[in-house]
Amino acid sequence: REVRSPEFFPSPSCSACPGLSMQRTLCIAPLLVASAAALSFSSYILGLQQQLCNAATELDGSGQVFCQDSWRNERGHGVTRVLEGGDVIAKGAISTTILEGQLDDERAKAMSQRGRKGAVSGARYRAAALSLVLHSARPAVPTLRSDIRLFALEGEQPYYGGGVDLTPFLVNEDDFRDFHASVKALCNRHGEGLYEGFKKECDE
């Protein structure tokens, strides 16, 4: 589900974006609004990745740890972290990706058709995402997948999106109820009716 507001995530600030002061950000806005949001979000997901790995390691309890593979190329960089052979988690991956570049003709056209402002060929963009998938060592426990992401065109408000789902091996209605109750409680922290709206769009 994409939202046009960064309200779920940290706003650009001196503490969130070292080296990029709030005064400087406001002074040359809107040219830096996409860059500042992307930097803030990138910092956020890198910290969140570590928190999630710590929580998953503690949950698994086997003593297995996440290995780490950091990569970098001409388009960006990222960190892939994987845990295998645990007592609870058979295999789990928690990854971050941070990219930047310019829209090509095909992508700019596709984005324009979806109503994205500023989506013209050659426009500069920044993108960042965190994704996870946790495969259980026990068939009674569903696989969990989730991601959060940002896409920001220079000079435009950033788009935030993401999702979460369970893939069961054995159907257990209690799992589904607990899952949706947890997601609804999280949504309610940010506003009434969000869960119902997001669920309706997913179902449709």
Side-chain angles (χ1 to χ4, degrees):
R1 163 63 173 157
E2 289 184 327
V3 293
R4 289 294 303 275
S5 170
E7 60 189 353
F8 289 7
F9 305 101
S11 300
S13 67
C14 296
S15 59
C17 300
L20 194 115
S21 71
M22 182 60 82
Q23 181 179 7
R24 179 169 177 260
T25 303
L26 294 175
C27 178
I28 58 177
L31 292 179
L32 271 185
V33 63
S35 297
L39 288 170
S40 177
F41 186 76
S42 299
S43 176
Y44 170 72
I45 62 174
L46 288 171
L48 180 60
Q49 181 184 35
Q50 184 62 57
Q51 294 175 38
L52 291 170
C53 288
N54 292 345
T57 300
E58 183 178 354
L59 172 68
D60 182 73
S62 67
Q64 297 284 52
V65 297
F66 280 85
C67 64
Q68 178 170 313
D69 177 28
S70 300
W71 59 269
R72 181 178 295 273
N73 59 32
E74 66 279 1
R75 293 187 59 207
H77 58 94
V79 179
T80 302
R81 303 192 64 180
V82 177
L83 183 151
E84 294 185 87
D87 289 343
V88 176
I89 301 171
K91 187 171 185 177
I94 303 175
S95 303
T96 53
T97 303
I98 299 167
L99 304 173
E100 61 179 290
Q102 292 179 286
L103 293 182
D104 58 26
D105 292 342
E106 183 177 350
R107 192 169 188 185
K109 181 179 179 181
M111 292 178 65
S112 294
Q113 290 174 344
R114 296 197 299 269
R116 296 283 181 90
K117 294 182 179 179
V120 297
S121 181
R124 295 199 60 81
Y125 70 85
R126 290 176 181 261
L130 179 148
S131 62
L132 68 85
V133 55
L134 301 176
H135 295 283
S136 171
R138 298 179 175 85
V141 179
T143 293
L144 174 69
R145 293 181 176 85
S146 183
D147 74 277
I148 55 173
R149 58 190 181 273
L150 168 146
F151 187 89
L153 287 169
E154 188 174 57
E156 299 293 338
Q157 288 294 319
Y159 289 82
Y160 295 83
V164 59
D165 64 79
L166 295 180
T167 303
F169 298 96
L170 302 174
V171 174
N172 184 331
E173 296 292 338
D174 288 339
D175 287 342
F176 305 156
R177 282 189 285 268
D178 289 344
F179 173 76
H180 281 276
S182 296
V183 173
K184 183 176 181 179
L186 176 62
C187 289
N188 285 346
R189 287 165 48 188
H190 302 282
E192 293 295 326
L194 289 175
Y195 166 81
E196 290 76 10
F198 292 159
K199 185 178 185 305
K200 182 175 184 294
E201 290 190 6
C202 289
D203 292 342
E204 292 174 350

